[in-house]
Amino acid sequence: MTAMKALVVEAVGKPIALVERSIPVPQEGEVLIKVSVVGLNPYDHRVRDWGLYVEGRLPVVLGNDIAGVVEQLGPGVTADFKRGDHIFGQTNYLKGTSDQNGLQEYALLDAYTAARIPSSLTDDDGASLVCNIIAPFWAIFGAHGLDLPFPFPGQKPAIDYSSQTIVIIGAGSNCGKYAVQSCALAGFGTIVTTATKAKNESELLSYGATHVLDRHAADIASQIRNIVGDDLIYAFDAVNVDHTLGVSVLSSTKRGTLACIVPGKADETKIGEKKAGYEDKFIQGQSHNQPELGATFWKYLPGWMEEGKIRATGWDVIEGLDRGKVDKVLDDYRDGRQPLKQVHVHF
C-alpha cells in the first residue's frame, strides 16, 4: 500500500476536498503513525478560510491534534517508542509539508514533540489536548507571550505563583479550559475567568478557577476590576479578535501584558489610561518554535494526564474522512457557532 486518503484545502475560502496522497516515509527524528483520531479546532477553519500560515503551500492537509499507532521509526529516533505504541503529538508546520498533518490515514510526527498515551487513557484523550493546551501554555509560559517560567518537576520555582493573579478571557473554550488547568498546575493563587457562566462555572471551578464571571454581563470589565483592582499585569484571551476587554482590565499604573492566540487589536478609545503602557501579544502555540520548552512539556504531559492534573475536556465524534461533516464543523467555527465539545475524526 503506497497511497492513502486525505482531506485537503485546495483553495482558500472553498470547501475541502477528499484526495489521495502518497504515504510518507519517516526521516531523521520522525515517527510514522497510522492515524486513529484527529481533533478539529478553530485553527483548521483559519487555514481553510484565511489561508493562515499556508501561503504558497496549497493543497494542504488539515488537522494538527493527532493520535495514532506507531508504524515505523525514522533514523535517529531516541524516544522510547516501538511499533504498535499509541502516541499523540503536534504537527510541525515549520517544515512546510502536509506529511505531518492529521486528516489522512498515515502521518509523520517529530518524536521529541510526541508522547506515549498513558495506558489508562484513550487516543481521544490524547487528541483532545495538543493544540488546545499548547496554544495557551505557550501564550502564558512561552518566551514570546507572558514569558512566565513554568515550575516543571525538579526545578526550583522562580516565582511565587500563589501570590499572582491572571485573568483568562474566553475560558469556556477548549483553549480557555486548558489555560485554567495550566495556571492551576503552576500554582496561581487567583485565576479570574470569563465564560458563559451557567454552562461553564462548575467545570472551570473544578479545573482551578477561583472566579467565574459571566462573559455576557454588560459590566464585565468592572466586575473583573473589582477583583483584581489596579494591579493586574497578566491576562490571556483565548478567543477574541477584539482585544479591548483584555487590555482594559490591565493595570493603569503598572505595565501589563495581554497574550492572545487570535490576531487582533484593542480599541484605544475604550481601554482607559495606561500610564506605564501595555503589551498586546499574538502568540503562535507551536511546540517546535521553542524546542527546549517543547521537549520538556511533552516529557511531563503524559504524567500530568495520568495523575489527573490535566484532564481532557470531552469530545464528539465524526466517523471517517467525511468531507461534508468536517466542512460543517469548520463552518461553525467560521460563523461563531462554537461546538459544545471538540469534534474528533475517527479512522
Side-chain angles (χ1 to χ4, degrees):
M1 180 178 175
T2 59
M4 61 178 176
K5 296 186 186 309
L7 289 177
V8 304
V9 174
E10 294 183 318
V12 173
K14 301 295 184 182
I16 57 178
L18 180 65
V19 303
E20 281 199 347
R21 300 185 74 242
S22 297
I23 296 174
V25 176
Q27 302 302 308
E28 184 75 21
E30 295 180 332
V31 180
L32 176 69
I33 64 169
K34 189 178 192 318
V35 179
S36 58
V37 181
V38 175
L40 302 177
N41 62 49
Y43 173 81
D44 296 304
H45 118 68
R46 293 169 196 144
V47 172
R48 186 195 67 171
D49 298 315
W50 303 356
L52 188 66
Y53 303 140
V54 296
E55 280 188 34
R57 286 180 46 202
L58 299 179
V60 64
V61 178
L62 292 175
N64 293 276
D65 301 356
I66 307 176
V69 180
V70 174
E71 286 284 313
Q72 184 181 350
L73 302 180
V77 172
T78 58
D80 185 22
F81 295 148
K82 63 181 184 300
R83 195 170 189 273
D85 282 346
H86 288 251
I87 69 172
F88 68 119
Q90 186 179 29
T91 61
N92 185 353
Y93 78 83
L94 299 177
K95 289 187 172 180
T97 171
S98 280
D99 291 344
Q100 286 222 357
N101 292 358
L103 284 177
Q104 53 192 344
E105 294 173 283
Y106 293 86
L108 300 175
L109 290 172
D110 287 348
Y112 82 96
T113 54
R116 186 181 290 106
I117 296 171
S119 59
S120 60
L121 300 174
T122 69
D123 289 10
D124 281 295
D125 288 299
S128 71
L129 276 75
V130 193
C131 290
N132 286 323
I133 190 169
I134 292 286
F137 198 97
W138 260 233
I140 297 166
F141 302 105
H144 308 300
L146 299 182
D147 195 21
L148 294 168
F150 188 84
F152 287 106
Q155 297 180 4
K156 184 178 180 181
I159 292 177
D160 176 13
Y161 281 105
S162 66
S163 64
Q164 299 299 316
T165 296
I166 189 167
V167 168
I168 298 173
I169 296 166
S173 66
N174 287 314
C175 285
K177 291 173 182 177
Y178 287 117
V180 174
Q181 294 188 59
S182 298
C183 288
L185 185 60
F188 268 89
T190 304
I191 302 173
V192 181
T193 65
T194 72
T196 301
K197 189 169 183 176
K199 184 170 69 174
N200 295 290
E201 183 173 27
S202 61
E203 183 179 7
L204 292 174
L205 291 173
S206 77
Y207 292 149
T210 56
H211 303 77
V212 179
L213 305 179
D214 195 329
R215 71 182 184 91
H216 300 289
D219 63 342
I220 184 65
S222 296
Q223 290 188 42
I224 294 172
R225 279 196 165 271
N226 285 341
I227 298 167
V228 304
D230 192 38
D231 296 315
L232 184 71
I233 56 174
Y234 305 129
F236 167 68
D237 190 325
V239 297
N240 293 302
V241 174
D242 183 355
H243 298 174
T244 304
L245 175 60
V247 173
S248 71
V249 297
L250 292 172
S251 174
S252 299
T253 56
K254 303 174 184 177
R255 188 174 181 85
T257 302
L258 172 70
C260 305
I261 54 175
V262 180
K265 61 182 181 180
D267 183 340
E268 296 280 343
T269 67
K270 297 180 180 179
I271 62 172
E273 186 178 15
K274 302 295 176 188
K275 295 177 182 177
Y278 70 91
E279 292 185 274
D280 181 355
K281 294 182 176 182
F282 166 60
I283 313 303
Q284 298 178 21
Q286 229 294 333
S287 299
H288 306 84
N289 63 20
Q290 294 181 63
E292 184 176 350
L293 177 61
T296 306
F297 176 85
W298 282 99
K299 175 182 178 180
Y300 290 110
L301 179 58
W304 296 335
M305 294 166 64
E306 199 162 29
E307 295 166 10
K309 294 177 179 177
I310 296 292
R311 290 180 279 153
T313 58
W315 54 84
D316 291 319
V317 172
I318 293 173
E319 294 292 347
L321 289 170
D322 189 315
R323 182 188 63 81
K325 290 182 179 178
V326 172
D327 253 334
K328 174 62 167 59
V329 174
L330 304 188
D331 289 347
D332 286 344
Y333 278 124
R334 178 197 63 199
D335 298 337
R337 297 187 299 269
Q338 181 83 18
L340 293 177
K341 299 177 181 178
Q342 186 182 30
V343 177
H344 287 183
V345 177
H346 279 193
F347 289 72

